[in-house]
Amino acid sequence: MRKMSCLDTTQLSTMKALPGNNRCADCAALNPTWASVTYGALLCLECSGRHRGLSVDISFVRSLDLDRWTKDQIHRMVVSGGNLSLNDFFKSNGGAMSGNQRYKSYDAFLYRTQLDAKVKGLPAPSTLSDEYQKLFNHFSTVDQKITVVNDKPEWLPDHASSECTACGRRFTLLFRRHHCRKCGALVCGRCAPAKNTKPIPSFGFYDPVRHCLNCYKSPLVDWSKS
């Protein structure tokens, strides 16, 4: 089992001091406190929520203040070059794509391939690794199949409530908040157990994702049409 620990002051300062890391990589909000380990980039709270909605295959998100990290994750963040490196890469390769599609693009997977090599001290490859080529092909195919759903709910932002919207219990460092992928509610782990998972193809979630108790058990939810 890999040893995990919270970031110490030196590690946190090193990450924040990297070029461009004083602002969110996606929206340029000041003083981001979340990270996409996948891209070695810092994100604001709101953008980190969007990244979590993309699935861990696209972006693995950690909190700088709340989560525990492995040494490999910390090393990846430090050698990444920061938000400036990521955004300069997108700009140099066209950079027209934004939002969720940005991180499902060929350029995003190429950046990940090159960052993997950098972490290992190897030369930057000019093509995707076999692993990322398969992932890129998969998500390209999935995106072509997705039908736009007009009533897909907006996720309630993390900062919108300090307590579970279902049971009212206050969130703490140990009693964490979660989003129901079906209705978008901000709920606790008791009201959205980790075992309550189902895919929602119509929303683009082809792997099982977490649901609150109401959505998971509701007879009004027709899972056969999801």
Side-chain angles (χ1 to χ4, degrees):
M1 181 178 294
R2 292 177 298 176
K3 185 177 180 180
M4 304 180 75
S5 61
C6 293
L7 298 175
D8 61 35
T9 303
T10 300
Q11 292 165 339
L12 192 58
S13 297
T14 300
M15 287 186 193
K16 290 184 175 182
L18 292 172
N21 279 8
N22 62 319
R23 291 182 178 272
C24 172
D26 286 357
C27 73
L30 284 169
N31 303 316
T33 57
W34 291 77
S36 169
V37 180
T38 307
Y39 296 96
L42 296 193
L43 305 165
C44 69
L45 180 63
E46 187 170 346
C47 290
S48 73
R50 285 196 288 269
H51 274 247
R52 289 201 301 274
L54 291 172
S55 88
V56 294
D57 287 327
I58 295 294
S59 185
F60 181 69
V61 176
R62 295 273 84 186
S63 167
L64 299 183
D65 302 318
L66 306 177
D67 287 322
R68 294 179 177 274
W69 295 63
T70 67
K71 289 184 178 180
D72 288 343
Q73 291 168 351
I74 296 170
H75 178 62
R76 186 180 184 87
M77 294 295 300
V78 171
V79 304
S80 69
N83 290 358
L84 183 63
S85 175
L86 175 64
N87 285 321
D88 279 353
F89 182 86
F90 280 122
K91 289 177 183 177
S92 66
N93 287 279
M97 198 170 287
S98 60
N100 292 352
Q101 293 306 311
R102 180 191 202 195
Y103 293 99
K104 295 180 182 179
S105 67
Y106 180 90
D107 291 339
F109 282 101
L110 180 58
Y111 187 83
R112 292 170 63 175
T113 298
Q114 295 187 355
L115 182 53
D116 284 355
K118 190 174 183 180
V119 167
K120 298 174 182 177
L122 301 173
S126 58
T127 58
L128 302 188
S129 66
D130 291 342
E131 175 190 359
Y132 292 149
Q133 184 65 61
K134 291 178 182 178
L135 273 176
F136 173 67
N137 292 342
H138 167 73
F139 283 106
S140 296
T141 302
V142 166
D143 285 345
Q144 292 172 5
K145 294 180 179 178
I146 292 175
T147 302
V148 175
V149 179
N150 293 327
D151 60 352
K152 179 179 178 181
E154 291 289 333
W155 281 18
L156 191 65
D158 284 4
H159 57 77
S161 178
S162 61
E163 59 188 31
C164 174
T165 56
C167 70
R169 182 172 176 178
R170 291 188 64 82
F171 297 122
T172 67
L173 292 178
L174 298 178
F175 197 70
R176 303 287 295 278
R177 50 173 56 81
H178 302 277
H179 283 94
C180 171
R181 266 59 169 182
K182 189 70 178 180
C183 69
L186 194 61
V187 290
C188 66
R190 290 182 179 178
C191 295
K195 65 180 181 180
N196 284 18
T197 60
K198 290 179 182 288
I200 316 177
S202 61
F203 287 2
F205 299 125
Y206 284 79
D207 294 322
V209 289
R210 189 187 296 250
H211 294 75
C212 68
L213 292 173
N214 287 336
C215 288
Y216 192 78
K217 296 180 178 180
S218 175
L220 299 178
V221 177
D222 185 354
W223 293 108
S224 67
K225 296 181 180 179
S226 292

